[in-house]
Every structure is written in C-alpha cells, then in structure tokens.
Amino acid sequence: MVAVERASLARAFGKVAVDLADLKFASAIKGVIDATGAFKADPKSPPTAEEGAKLLLQRAAYAAAIRTIQAEVRNAPVMVTEADPQEIEAAILGATADISLDLTELALTDPERWPGLETLLTLFDWFMRACEVLDVNRLLIRRAFAAALPLALAGEWRNPEREKDYQALRAALEPTPFDLAAQRSLQWNAYRDRLVKAIDAPLRALNPEKIRCSLNNLYIPLRAAIGDPEAPERTSGERRKQPLVWLDDTLYGWVTQTDHGPSDRIRVLSGEPGAGKSSACMKLAARLAAEKWKVLLVPLTRLNIAKGSLEELARYLVGDLGHDPFNSLSAAEPLVLILDGLDELAKAGQGATVLLSGFITDLGQRVSEWNREGPRVLLLLAGRPGATGAAVATGAIGRGDDARLHVLRYRIAVHDRYSYEPEELVDLDQRWNWWDRFDPKGGMPEPLKRDDPHIDSLTEQPLLNWLLAQILTEEGPERAATISDVHDLYTRLFGHVLDRIHRRLPGDGSTEAIDPVRDRLEQMLEEVAVAAWHAGTNRAVPLNDVEKRLADNRLSGELRLLSNNTDAALTTLLDSFFCRAHQGVEHRLVEFTHKSFGQFLTARRVVRLLPEMPNSQEVRRNRTDAALKDWLELCGPAAMDWSTYVFLSAQVATEANRAPLKVAQWWSAMSSLLVECLEVGMPLPDGGMRSRDSERLIRNAEIAMLCAVAAVSGALIEKPNPIRIDPAILAETLHRLAGRVTDWSIARETFHIFDLSGADLRSVDLANANLTGANLTDADLRGANLTGANLAGADLRGADLTDAYLMDAYLTGAALIGADLLGADLLGADLRDATLTGAYLPGANLMRVDLTNANLTGADLREADLTNANLTNADLTNANLTRADLTDANLTNANLTRADLQPEQLTPKQLTACYRTP
C-alpha cells in the first residue's frame, strides 16, 4: 500500500522538476518504463490518489534501479550482465503491495531521511548480493540508487503520456493554507544547511593539490576589545583601559541570552582588513544554524543600496533564502541578522558618506519598528573601523560602548598593551595557535620565529597567515621568510598564480593548460580588478562589466586561448587569483575573496599606465589631451582610497629598485602633466554626461594623479624639487582636492609634494594633511586648520600661523624659526626636536604639547599655556616665559638660562629638574 501526503509534496515535485529542466531525465525514464509491460493502470477506472502514488513510486523505483545498474557497469559488471528486469519488477510490485510506504516531500527533498527509501534499498541490497557485487562497491552503488530515486520521481511526474494516471494524485496535492509555511520551513532548513557546510568548504588556495584547508580547520577564537576603537575615553588625561573578551563566546552569549532589552539588540563589530571579521561572522552563523536558529548572513558587497536601501536587502534575501524573512517575525524566536562588509556598501561617485548614513539610519529605524513589541530581530553589523565608526556616528545604532566590539590581532604590540585589560588576555600570542592548527606536527616554521617586524606583522592576522602558508608551501620556509611586507606577499602570490595559469602541463587537457603571453594574463586580471573598482567596491562586479572591460582593452581575444567558451574562459581566469564567480540576485557577479586583492591589482594597473604618459618635451607637443583622456578613463570613475594608494606606492618603489632611471622619467612626465592638469584643467569626458558627474570624474582623476606623483616622489633616492603651481589658484586647488573633512580624501596625503613657500593659505582647511618636509617658508597660514596635520620636518621659517589650529599636529623636527604663532592652538601637538628659535608664541595654547629636545631659544612664550607640557631637554635660553602657565610641565634637564620667568612660576620639583646657568 502506498499513502500520499497531500500537504506540500506538490511544491517539492515542482522544485525538483525545475532543477531537472536541462537533464532530459523524463525521456530517459520513459524509455526504461516502456520496455516492460508492468506498472499498468487499471483500464476500467482512473487510478485514485493512492493508486496513482503507487504507480508513480513503482515506476520511479524501477527506473532508478535500471539507470543505476547501467551507470555502475565498472563497479559491478556481473550485476549488469545478469540483471533480470522481471525480478526487479516483481520485487518492487511485492514491496509496494505488502508494505506501507508514505510518499512525502522527503522522498524528493531529502531522500536519505525518507523512511520508504530503506525498504527499497533493502530490496536493492538483496539484488546486489544475488549478483555478487563486492562489499567495497555495494555502499557506493546503494548511494547512487538513493540519489537517482528523486530524479526518477520528478521525471516520471512530468511524463505527459501518463498524465491521466496521476490526475487524482495531482488533485490531492493542490496547495493548502499550510503549504506556504511548510515551504518556508524547508527553505530555512536548506539555508541553515548551507551555513553549516560553508565553514567546511575548502578555502581558496594557490595550489589545492598541495594545500587544502577549510575555515573550520584553521579558525582559532579571536579576542575583541569592548568600546570605540578609534577614540577611547580619557579620564583625567589618561586613557581608560578597554576590556578584552573572547569574541566568539561573547557574540554567542549575546544572541542566546534570554533578555534582550531595547539597547541590547544590536552589536557592531569592527576590525582591520584580514583580521577575521568575516570568519567570525561565518562561525557564529554556522553555530546558530546548527542549533536551528533563524540566522541570516548577508555579504553587503552583493547589495546595491543606491537602488533602495532595505528594499535591496529584502530582494537579496528573497533570492538567497527563498522568501522575505521580515514578513513573519516572532518575538518567541528572534531572527539573527548578520550584515558583513559595511565598508563595501556605497558605490563610487554616489556620495559614499550620504549613502552609508542613509542606509544605517533606515536600518536603525526599521530595527526599532521590528522590535517595538519585543526582540524580533538581533542585528550584527561588521566592517572596517572607519565604516562602523561612521555608522555609529549617525546615532541610529550601536550608541553604547557595550554594543561595540573591535577584533584584535593575534598579538598585541607591546606599546599598545597598556590600553587593555585583563592581562591574561592582553599578553596572549595566538600566532602559535594558528600555525599549530595549520601544521599540528611542525607548528610555526623556524624562519618565522625570528624577531623581525615585517614577519611579525604578517603573522598577526588570519588572512595573511593563510597566504604566507601558501608561499611557504610553494617556496619553502627560508625564502618565504624574506617577505618584506603585504605588497611583497601579494606580488609573490600573483607571480605563482601567473606561473600556474601560464604553465602548460603535458597531456593535461584541462582549461588551465594554456599558454598565452604572461604579460597579457597580468593585464586581464588587472582589468578585472579595475572593473570592480569602477563598480565602487574593489571587490565585486557584474560579470558582463568584466567582459566589457576586457573587450574595451582589446583583451577579449585572449579569452579564446583559455577556452572556446567565454564563460568557461572567464571562470578559469577569475578562479586563478582568489576570485570567484557566483549567481547574484540580478547579475552573475565576480568577487575577490578579499577586498585587498582587488586593490593590489588596481594599483598595478595604474602603474602600468605611467610609462605611457608623455614627458615634458612631449607635453609641449600637445600630446597631453590624449594622455589625460587615458588617465581619466582609468582613474575617473572611482575614487582612490588609502589601501590602493599604499599598494600603488609599494609597486612604484618596486619598479624604482629595478629601474631607478625609468622611474625618474616618470616623475618628469607626471609632474608636468599634473601642473598642466591643475592649472589648465582635464579634458572634458566624452558623451552627454551631466556637469556634476563630469566634476566627479575629473576630481577623481586629479587625485589619482596626485597619488601617483607622490608615490614616484617617495620612491626616488634623490628627492625631486617640490611642484610649483600658480599661486593665484593654489589655495582654491588644495581646498577642492581636499574636500570636506567628513568626506576624507586621500588627496590630503599628497600635499607634501607641493612648493607652498610664500603661499597665501589663510583659513585653508588642511586638517590631517600630510605635509611632511613641506616647504612652507613665509607662508601665510593665519587661521588655517592644521589639526592633526603631519608637519614633521616641515620648513615653516617665517610662516605666519596667527590663530592657526594646530591641535594634535605632528611637528617633530619642524623648523619654526621666526614663525608667528600668536593665538595659535597647539593643544596636544608633537614638537619633539622642533626648532622654534625666535618663534612668536604669546598666549599660545601649548597644553600637553611634547617639546622634548625642542629649541626654543629666544622664543616669545608670554602668557602661553604650557600645562602638562613635556619640555624634557628643551632649550629655553633667552625665552620669554612671563606669566606663562607651567603647571605640571615636565622640565627635566630643560635649559632655562637667561629665560624671563619668575621663580614662583615653578614648583620646587621643577626648579630642581631644570638648570639655569648664570
């Protein structure tokens, strides 16, 4: 007897049938069934639902058995030659007549758990034993039959010639009010299963044949600091120690606690690139999924929030989960929503800060709505510190210190350890644990144990450890130990990738057995990265954008060397450098497994363009327009960021080590182009682009050129002269390139390349600008904002800094001889080893300023506030300190010879610490 479950079996049939659309399984089954005269319906009356289910199961079981026997000819040759279809038919007829079998959706969706399968497998086992199938092969064939059965069921169900046999069954399987809930339950089960399996999937590896590990194999528990990682609270001038916790246990405990108050439903997780944020999110999701929680893990790089913020999130989840989970929330079973990659949300040129702020504000409001009547959604946001800090700054989420967690490296630097507690967590060195997981027998290789800051920095993060382990496998520990920095590590990885693709393996017919020109392969991967950069993420990009990018750069032909099939060729190419293609909600996407891989390749592509820039003679021959258009096409669509600039500088430095004269020529060409660009302007983009979009493209291109020039300048042994542009437009140009402080631009890192001597920079905003070694002699900086600026070694002789803002500025070794600092605010500035001979500082705010070894000979410090200032070894000979406030100032070994001050201005301890020669 065969009984049918009338609830949601129809949906299961439909789903499997869709999956079979391209397999043509129904026609194959028809041929098998038609070969026998069995399994016929009664011609006198149409089959009932149960009779139809019986026929369906009989025919499918028979077809699955025959197809399995045919497929296993190599493992069971005797069974193939001696198989008697009539015996199989009789056994199936007997089983379905005498034994009760319930046909449920499990038969299709999870046949291994379907009780009826065991009955059929027992029959199949009997048949295999009768045919002398070896024990070693029997289990394999048994699994093949179990896998073939749901396909056979779906194929038979779709057979139009036997539609009448299943009419009553179809009617019984009409949708019921319970089907939607059952479908959602199945979708949740499937989604949870994917989350659990994801942590056991092999990690992307350079050579999977030599090294094969999963996240589960390598993951070690992470430490995290509670609170704001960017601006720790200060109490009485001292930083409050931040408590450390075990991240995994803390997040799990937060989710599983019984009481989630209104302020305890959100957590914000930050960390450096490669620190393990995404891994921690995956582990948490897998752990909760295994315990049947409703947990969602959403990589935000796959969303385009410019299309509609949370609506885009819902659309993504409908595609990934199968339904919108926010339509059926329950306080009894809160949904755990993990959004990973907050820093990758905004698209280039669309106002990253505005988009991010809007998304977070909308998200905070929606979470409040969902949780109005109890904790229905628990939210975990993960991203880099800048993005998470901007998110918290909106005031919509994570406002309390307890809501913020910052992932720490495997080893905390000695000079940072005083910032955290307790000591037993602070002093841990987890690098050893990681290498013990990777190699339980050998642990950390000997060359990596030496005291080397470069090696230390590489082994302090999970991602870099994993990449280093692959280099160790390819090159051996001694050579791998010579890696100098992250750029060097990535360069070696890239070299091995190119060797692997380029190498032709004799007799290997795979798509990797190719031999195009190596340089063209490099270009292809670089263009993939540029496509992702232009898309605004440095990480993910629609596949059609990649194809267009390759075509526009005349690289499409190279794909045919990979494979005649374009899709297969792209898959081979993208699979080579920690890049993957997957089906997104709207597009097939290409995604780098880590954002920094794309940034590394983008930097290489920018450097590739530098030799094509015309030199100063060619500029005069009017070749600039063509060169600037090429630059605009490459660097205009997206803004240069800090990480890409770092890789750009490192790549230029590598080229300078190989060919210093060539790089010196780049300086000549690029500096001339930069002046032309800033004084005359970039050529306008082609097409009907709106003015604001044109302005954005041009500004991005100018800033990228600034970065390239700064990178070249920093790589040359003999430093070139600073660049001089028209003084009439200098202040306006710096202001335009710097942008608002809230929209921090990498341009501020490059201003040291300009000659700013005598410049009129009144009230210009140069906060956090890099002006290291800059020439600012006689510059007018009245009222200028130099807060946090790096002025180390800058020449500020004779500069007018009246009322300038220099809080927390870095002025180590700066020359301020004769500078006018009347009313300047230098709170917290670093003036170690600075020369302030004759500087004019009456009434200046010098609280907590570090003036160690500073030369203040003859400086005018009347009424200056030097509270808590560090004047250790400072030379204050002939300085005027009348009515200066020296409360708690450190005057150890300070020279106060002939300084103008009253003894009562100093405490006995201060008088003892300093010295004054007659």
Side-chain angles (χ1 to χ4, degrees):
M1 175 183 178
V2 177
V4 59
E5 182 183 271
R6 292 169 168 78
S8 57
L9 182 59
R11 295 185 183 277
F13 274 126
K15 184 177 187 302
V16 179
V18 170
D19 293 341
L20 288 171
D22 297 327
L23 297 183
K24 310 300 183 187
F25 206 83
S27 60
I29 289 173
K30 178 180 181 299
V32 173
I33 299 298
D34 288 348
T36 178
F39 312 126
K40 297 288 187 180
D42 186 348
K44 297 178 181 179
S45 61
T48 64
E50 278 69 23
E51 289 170 342
K54 177 180 177 180
L55 286 169
L56 176 67
L57 187 58
Q58 289 171 340
R59 291 164 175 169
Y62 180 81
I66 297 299
R67 298 292 287 178
T68 301
I69 292 168
Q70 292 173 345
E72 297 299 328
V73 61
R74 297 179 62 182
N75 293 320
V78 175
M79 183 174 69
V80 173
T81 57
E82 297 187 4
D84 186 343
Q86 291 184 346
E87 287 186 13
I88 299 173
E89 170 193 320
I92 292 173
L93 283 170
T96 54
D98 302 333
I99 303 172
S100 177
L101 295 177
D102 291 329
L103 186 60
T104 70
E105 74 272 14
L106 284 177
L108 284 162
T109 58
D110 197 353
E112 292 182 3
R113 294 173 52 217
W114 179 51
L117 179 63
E118 190 58 38
T119 300
L120 297 175
L121 287 174
T122 300
L123 290 172
F124 201 67
D125 280 340
W126 163 81
F127 181 75
M128 285 192 288
R129 285 194 299 271
C131 295
E132 302 178 1
V133 177
L134 298 176
D135 290 345
V136 69
N137 293 328
R138 198 177 301 159
L139 182 60
L140 176 65
I141 300 173
R142 178 187 171 100
R143 287 174 180 163
F145 175 76
L149 182 61
L151 300 178
L153 281 166
E156 173 62 22
W157 181 255
R158 297 171 66 215
N159 190 339
E161 295 184 14
R162 284 192 279 273
E163 185 176 354
K164 290 182 179 180
D165 292 349
Y166 307 130
Q167 279 183 348
L169 179 58
R170 291 182 191 277
L173 294 176
E174 285 297 321
T176 74
F178 305 103
D179 281 347
L180 185 58
Q183 182 185 28
R184 286 198 299 263
S185 180
L186 288 172
Q187 289 168 343
W188 270 115
N189 286 338
Y191 183 82
R192 290 187 187 108
D193 187 55
R194 293 206 307 272
L195 291 179
V196 171
K197 290 179 178 178
I199 61 174
D200 289 312
L203 296 172
R204 308 292 292 180
L206 185 63
N207 192 335
E209 292 77 23
K210 288 185 178 180
I211 180 172
R212 188 178 180 85
C213 296
S214 69
L215 175 61
N216 232 4
N217 297 142
L218 300 177
Y219 188 82
I220 61 171
L222 297 170
R223 294 168 297 172
I226 297 176
D228 183 356
E230 297 173 317
E233 288 187 13
R234 294 174 181 270
T235 305
S236 301
E238 296 183 3
R239 176 182 290 185
R240 186 191 68 177
K241 289 192 174 185
Q242 289 184 275
L244 297 187
V245 294
W246 289 112
L247 175 64
D248 305 80
D249 291 342
T250 300
L251 289 176
Y252 179 76
W254 163 65
V255 171
T256 58
Q257 68 189 40
T258 56
D259 181 27
H260 292 93
S263 62
D264 202 26
R265 297 165 185 172
I266 296 176
R267 289 291 182 269
V268 179
L269 178 64
S270 62
E272 299 174 89
K277 302 180 297 297
S278 296
S279 297
C281 289
M282 288 180 66
K283 287 286 287 185
L284 176 65
R287 185 177 182 180
L288 294 173
E291 296 178 7
K292 302 303 181 184
W293 282 79
K294 287 187 175 179
V295 55
L296 295 167
L297 176 58
V298 180
L300 290 174
T301 186
R302 300 183 192 175
L303 270 62
N304 182 357
I305 62 169
K307 290 186 175 181
S309 193
L310 296 182
E311 288 72 18
E312 175 71 6
L313 174 60
R315 281 194 295 270
Y316 172 82
L317 289 174
V318 168
D320 201 36
L321 174 63
H323 64 273
D324 185 347
F326 304 120
N327 289 335
S328 55
L329 297 173
S330 167
E333 185 185 4
L335 172 73
V336 182
L337 177 60
I338 304 172
L339 303 181
D340 182 32
L342 189 61
D343 46 294
E344 298 171 20
L345 266 181
K347 303 300 179 184
Q350 295 174 323
T353 303
V354 174
L355 276 177
L356 180 60
S357 176
F359 177 80
I360 294 302
T361 300
D362 290 349
L363 184 63
Q365 292 173 351
R366 194 68 62 88
V367 170
S368 297
E369 292 172 8
W370 289 329
N371 292 330
R372 182 172 291 121
E373 297 179 5
R376 286 176 165 78
V377 174
L378 303 178
L379 173 65
L380 173 62
L381 273 172
R384 297 185 186 181
T388 56
V392 173
T394 64
I397 62 168
R399 283 169 286 189
D401 261 2
D402 290 346
R404 303 195 64 183
L405 294 161
H406 182 71
V407 181
L408 299 179
R409 294 183 170 218
Y410 284 157
R411 188 189 69 155
I412 301 173
V414 174
H415 61 271
D416 286 333
R417 292 181 187 176
Y418 74 93
S419 301
Y420 305 105
E421 59 182 4
E423 287 186 13
E424 57 267 25
L425 286 183
V426 174
D427 295 336
L428 284 177
D429 188 343
Q430 295 181 282
R431 297 175 301 166
W432 306 92
N433 304 94
W434 191 94
W435 284 96
D436 286 342
R437 297 276 290 181
F438 176 74
D439 184 1
K441 292 183 178 179
M444 182 182 284
E446 286 298 325
L448 301 186
K449 296 178 183 177
R450 70 175 192 264
D451 187 15
D452 184 317
H454 297 303
I455 295 299
D456 287 345
S457 66
L458 291 175
T459 55
E460 286 173 355
Q461 292 186 332
L463 174 68
L464 297 183
N465 264 317
W466 170 237
L467 300 181
L468 187 57
Q470 296 181 69
I471 291 295
L472 283 163
T473 304
E474 293 294 316
E475 299 184 355
E478 293 296 334
R479 187 163 185 274
T482 63
I483 295 171
S484 59
D485 55 25
V486 176
H487 177 266
D488 187 17
L489 173 61
Y490 282 16
T491 300
R492 296 197 196 190
L493 279 171
F494 192 42
H496 286 296
V497 164
L498 293 171
D499 288 342
R500 181 170 61 121
I501 304 177
H502 189 265
R503 184 170 56 245
R504 182 180 295 279
L505 303 178
D508 180 22
S510 71
T511 54
E512 287 192 0
I514 55 177
D515 193 25
V517 178
R518 179 185 170 115
D519 186 63
R520 300 286 278 176
L521 278 172
E522 289 186 46
Q523 290 182 55
M524 291 165 75
L525 285 166
E526 289 167 8
E527 296 301 344
V528 172
V530 170
W533 182 39
H534 287 180
T537 66
N538 283 307
R539 183 168 181 176
V541 60
L543 195 58
N544 58 338
D545 287 0
V546 172
E547 294 169 341
K548 183 178 185 303
R549 183 77 200 171
L550 293 174
D552 290 346
N553 286 272
R554 298 184 294 279
L555 290 166
S556 294
E558 302 297 326
L559 288 175
R560 288 191 288 273
L561 295 172
L562 296 169
S563 170
N564 290 328
N565 182 300
T566 303
D567 279 0
L570 276 172
T571 300
T572 299
L573 173 69
L574 301 172
D575 193 55
S576 59
F577 192 64
F578 303 96
C579 193
R580 61 184 173 219
H582 59 77
Q583 189 74 24
V585 177
E586 297 181 7
H587 307 284
R588 289 179 301 158
L589 293 177
V590 176
E591 182 178 16
F592 289 98
T593 52
H594 196 269
K595 187 175 182 177
S596 58
F597 297 140
Q599 292 165 330
F600 165 78
L601 290 171
T602 297
R604 289 177 63 95
R605 176 63 181 91
V606 174
V607 173
R608 185 182 291 276
L609 186 58
L610 296 185
E612 300 177 22
M613 296 294 103
N615 58 35
S616 55
Q617 288 75 29
E618 291 171 320
V619 167
R620 287 195 292 272
R621 295 176 196 144
N622 297 318
R623 284 200 55 216
T624 57
D625 278 0
L628 289 175
K629 283 184 178 180
D630 289 343
W631 189 267
L632 188 66
E633 187 279 328
L634 177 63
C635 301
M640 180 77 67
D641 60 18
W642 170 255
S643 297
T644 307
Y645 174 52
V646 170
F647 280 123
L648 174 65
S649 299
Q651 186 65 35
V652 171
T654 299
E655 298 294 335
N657 288 334
R658 295 174 186 159
L661 292 179
K662 177 181 71 174
V663 175
Q665 291 171 351
W666 293 355
W667 168 264
S668 173
M670 294 301 295
S671 59
S672 298
L673 267 181
L674 180 62
V675 172
E676 178 85 8
C677 173
L678 296 179
E679 292 187 346
V680 180
M682 280 267 185
L684 288 173
D686 296 329
M689 189 174 291
R690 295 294 185 94
S691 60
R692 292 292 177 266
D693 290 334
S694 296
E695 290 169 8
R696 176 180 59 81
L697 257 69
I698 290 170
R699 181 170 178 268
N700 286 343
E702 289 174 339
I703 291 173
M705 187 173 291
L706 268 175
C707 290
V709 173
V712 172
S713 173
L716 296 175
I717 297 175
E718 185 176 341
K719 297 306 173 187
N721 293 326
I723 295 171
R724 186 82 177 173
I725 62 174
D726 185 352
I729 65 167
L730 178 58
E732 178 190 347
T733 300
L734 295 180
H735 175 74
R736 176 171 54 81
L737 295 173
R740 296 177 300 178
V741 177
T742 52
D743 290 335
W744 182 85
S745 167
I746 192 65
R748 292 176 185 265
E749 282 293 323
T750 66
F751 289 166
H752 61 286
I753 67 173
F754 291 116
D755 183 352
L756 302 173
S757 60
D760 183 354
L761 298 171
R762 286 173 293 176
S763 302
V764 169
D765 185 355
L766 294 170
N768 301 310
N770 181 5
L771 294 163
T772 307
N775 183 359
L776 287 152
T777 54
D778 299 317
D780 188 346
L781 289 156
R782 285 176 289 172
N785 184 5
L786 290 155
T787 303
N790 187 349
L791 288 150
D795 190 345
L796 287 151
R797 290 174 296 170
D800 189 345
L801 288 152
T802 302
D803 296 324
Y805 299 93
L806 287 153
M807 292 84 76
D808 296 315
Y810 192 64
L811 287 148
T812 301
L816 289 145
I817 301 166
D820 189 342
L821 288 143
L822 176 65
D825 191 341
L826 288 128
L827 174 66
D830 189 341
L831 283 151
R832 289 173 295 166
D833 299 304
T835 304
L836 293 118
T837 306
Y840 191 59
L841 288 152
N845 183 358
L846 294 161
M847 290 178 63
R848 296 199 298 273
V849 171
D850 192 345
L851 286 155
T852 303
N853 297 320
N855 184 351
L856 289 151
T857 304
D860 189 340
L861 290 157
R862 287 173 296 166
E863 300 182 349
D865 189 347
L866 287 153
T867 304
N868 287 307
N870 187 356
L871 288 152
T872 302
N873 296 322
D875 189 349
L876 289 150
T877 304
N878 292 320
N880 189 344
L881 288 158
T882 304
R883 293 188 297 280
D885 188 347
L886 290 155
T887 303
D888 295 325
N890 185 350
L891 290 163
T892 303
N893 294 325
N895 185 356
L896 291 165
T897 301
R898 295 188 297 280
D900 191 351
L901 80 163
Q902 299 301 315
E904 56 268 22
Q905 289 177 251
L906 303 177
T907 64
K909 183 179 179 180
Q910 289 174 319
L911 284 168
T912 304
C914 67
Y915 66 92
R916 302 173 70 182
T917 55

